Amino acid sequence: MHLKLLQKVFIFFVGAILPLNIFAVENNIKRYDRKLITEFDFSVIDTLSKEKSLLQADSLKMVGSDSLSSDSTAKEKPLFETMIEYNCDDTIVFSLTRQSVFLTKNAFVKYGETELKAYYIELDLEKKEAFAYGIQDTTGNFIFTPEFKDGSEEFTCKELKYNFDTGKGLVNEVITEQEGGFVHSEITKKINDKVFYLRNGKYTTCNHPNPHFYVKMTKAKMIKDDKIVSGPLHLVLEDVPLPLGLPFAMFPFSSSYSSGLVIPSYGEEQQRGYNLRGGGYYWAINDYMDLKITGDIFANGSWGTYVESKYKTRYRYSGTFATEYHFNKYGDKGLSDYYETTDFAIRWNHSQDAKANPYRTFTASVNVSTTNNDRNNSTSINEITNNQKQSSISYSKKWADSPFSLNASLRHSQNSRDTTIALTLPSMSLSMTQIYPFRAKGKSTDLRWYDKVGISYSSKLENTINTKESKLMSSSLQKDWKNGYQHSIPITTNFKLAKDLTLSPTLNYQGVLYSRSIRKSWDPDADGGDGDVKIDTIQGFRYAHNYSTSASLSLSPKIYGMYTFKETSKVAAIRHVMTPTISVSYTPEIGVPRSKYYRTYYDENKKEDVEYSIFEKGVYPTPTGAQESGSINLSLDNNIEAKVRTANDTTGVEDMKKVKILESLKFSTSYNMFADSLNWSDIRMTGRTKLFNKKLDLNFNSTVSPYKLGEINQKIDEFGPRLTNASIDVGFSLSAKDLNPNTKGGEGDDKQAEVWRDPRYVDFDIPWSFSVDYGWTYSKPSNRKNITQNLGLTGQITLTPKWAVSFSTGYDFTDKEVTSTQFTINRNLHCWKMSFNAIPFGTYQSYNFMINVDSSILQDLKYEKKQSWQDVQF
């Protein structure tokens, strides 16, 4: 009777003092036969509110009936080790006997780092458990479903039961994300923070609530941030089970990269047969370096290996190193068409972070391979058609508060068309920037003539060879390589004679150290008795030097012209700027006598003496004394711009826009005052401009020779202007952005530029774009002329939000044939993608069709059909 009365008083008290509809339903308060409420701390009531409720760990104390005879002041262990925070938008129901709290509508509970949101949450204080679920709306869809968060772990589900003390839980229809993948499970049992058991699970990379594809798992074990180990599983596409399954599988995923196998791709070629490509092992060495070793194997016995490593140290350097080796067999062994090839390639890219060292840098860009490596082994049309390869490794050092700097490099260039290779190993230079020895430190105004005297220094050491690829390894450093050392000391100054008139005298010293010299003589018995030049090489270091001086006087004013239109005209004004330049230079005859480094021999066939330099086979030209010379250089540059009226701004002030009509139109020539004939040089014209809001890029140039040609196509001293060279290059680009500014992408967009450069790149946000390039070249240095014309066209058309077509083609008007052409069709399938790339005709005719998952996690889940240019033509 007393207990019943106490319950009613408690219900009235809570309902009276709380602003919420917080009440305890009498039917929910059940009598415990062996427990009586003997003490209740009503301070907990004060903490309840609609916005936020805090339940202190020691606010509620339950004492058994037998505790009346014991020490009631004994301190008991609190129900929770930390504070519970909870609230909701509708009703909070507190059950005293069950020691439970019921929260309805947008309920929220937080215990330490664990958070739970749902439509309904039941919090059992005695068992330290929470039960949560959502509700269905009028359409039958579940809303306000439980959202669970424990530290970095987050997921949503339909129903959830969780124990705050043990960390275990039981979850129905959960969806969680694991490193780019999504795990769906009908029933999930949470063992601890790392281990989960799944029944009737799905693994997919599709972020749709009803995924378009998934791997159906009957039962599985998931280890957070590590892997999923599954029992029997099969693939489901658009809710249709496919006959593709496995008895067990493992899906690794990790926030940090890890080692593992690389799955090969399957293919077939006509010449080398069935193949597996790209299979191997990836080794995550540490956080700064990795290593991938893969290989190719073909049915006819051909094979290839690839080794690639990436490395990076933050704020210091980063790079990639890759090498490959191939052994290929072609034809049938024992027949005349059988042959074998071996190819290799080395690629290395290294860059230093700008913050690493302000005075020392090291960079590398290496691309070396055998001539036929790309043709025999590459599947990229860009690599196959590239005939030029270049490499450079460089080191530079500057000294603080010093004008000196040191540079060392290795250079390589290779032409796969004629197998020539040029190698410079090493190339070292020491230089000093210009200093002013007679100028006071910090002085920059009121300079006298001696303050403008500047001295600089430069030196270079090189060892080079230019040979065929097959002869490189057998070359002799002493006989075949060219090497030497060169340095120079220029002294310059200038005098301002007038506003646009400047006098610039110079004095230069040059010295060269050679490792060998030559002597030429006539051998009457050579060439079958017809006689020929005999060249003897003399090994040993020899130093040659010379000095020269010159002076130049230049005048470069600017002349402005302006034409103004009426105020009603769209064009406000046109301005023409002319920049004529006149310079006169003179070099006196001074220096070491020419006979010191030059010799002659008598050519009996030509019946004349032939002069030659004893260092003409050296890496640097022979330093010679200057011959008296003088020239007058003339040039005229033109620039034309217009001011166009635009709409008035909000203040009513008329706004003007500057438009370039002609960026540059330059004419130049020179006259040699001391030549006995052919005094005038060729007249050169260059021009460039951009029109139609920079959509049309125009470049043109020409060369006119002022002299006629003789009978054997040599210039003669007779005036007769003739066009020897001319070229026009036109580039036009247009996109939807240009016509509709609200369209994504367009001019200046990096993605748009990528679309034009690589037709396989697709941006589905751009409705269309294209670029046209036309080049015309005329050449007639003699009586024979040569004209070439080329047209190039690239573009992309987005037919629908999901379909896109990109293409690249061209036409050679000289050969009257279409140049390398390729097109690509792409289909965005949300979590899948489909692509078809083809080169429909030509030497490298090929195609590739692929439909695959649009995620690197399941990159091997794909279907691919391809045929390379080495296969049967389709």
Side-chain angles (χ1 to χ4, degrees), residues 37 55 187 206 253 294 296 314 426 455 476 565-566 589 637 653 681 748 813 860-861:
I37 300 178
L55 182 62
I187 301 176
C206 179
F253 44 78
T294 57
D296 302 338
R314 184 176 295 182
I455 302 175
S476 171
F565 294 84
K566 296 180 179 180
E589 185 175 357
D637 198 2
V653 179
S681 67
F813 292 91
D860 296 312
L861 189 57

Side-chain angles (χ1 to χ4, degrees), residues 240-257:
V240 178
L242 301 181
L244 300 174
L246 293 171
F248 62 89
M250 182 182 72
F251 300 96
F253 44 78
S254 175
S255 58
S256 61
Y257 73 111

Side-chain angles (χ1 to χ4, degrees), residues 345-349 363-369 388-394 409-414 421-425:
I346 299 174
R347 300 178 181 89
W348 180 30
N349 287 283
T363 60
S365 177
V366 177
N367 186 8
V368 181
S369 71
Q388 297 287 338
K389 291 185 177 181
Q390 295 181 338
S391 303
S392 175
I393 302 175
S394 61
S409 64
L410 179 152
R411 296 191 303 272
H412 150 266
S413 63
Q414 183 179 354
I421 183 170
L423 187 64
T424 302
L425 175 65

Side-chain angles (χ1 to χ4, degrees), residues 5 15 22 97 160 164 195 264 289 291 421 449 492 572 579 601 634 659 663 692 706 719 774 796 811 830 862:
L5 179 61
I22 302 177
T97 57
L160 177 143
F164 291 97
V195 180
M289 180 182 295
L291 179 66
I421 183 170
W449 68 268
T492 63
T579 308
Y601 69 91
L634 307 172
V659 177
E663 290 188 9
F692 307 114
F719 184 74
Y774 172 77
Q796 173 189 304
Y811 186 78
H830 186 254
K862 63 183 178 181

Side-chain angles (χ1 to χ4, degrees), residues 771-824:
S771 175
V772 181
D773 296 293
Y774 172 77
W776 178 86
T777 303
Y778 171 88
S779 177
K780 191 180 179 182
S782 58
N783 290 326
R784 174 181 290 184
K785 67 178 180 180
N786 182 35
I787 298 177
T788 60
Q789 297 182 74
N790 292 281
L791 179 68
L793 177 64
T794 61
Q796 173 189 304
I797 302 174
T798 303
L799 303 176
T800 70
K802 303 295 183 181
W803 283 96
V805 178
S806 54
F807 59 90
S808 173
T809 186
Y811 186 78
D812 190 327
F813 292 91
T814 304
D815 297 334
K816 297 181 179 180
E817 63 179 17
V818 179
T819 58
S820 178
T821 300
Q822 61 177 325
F823 70 90
T824 302

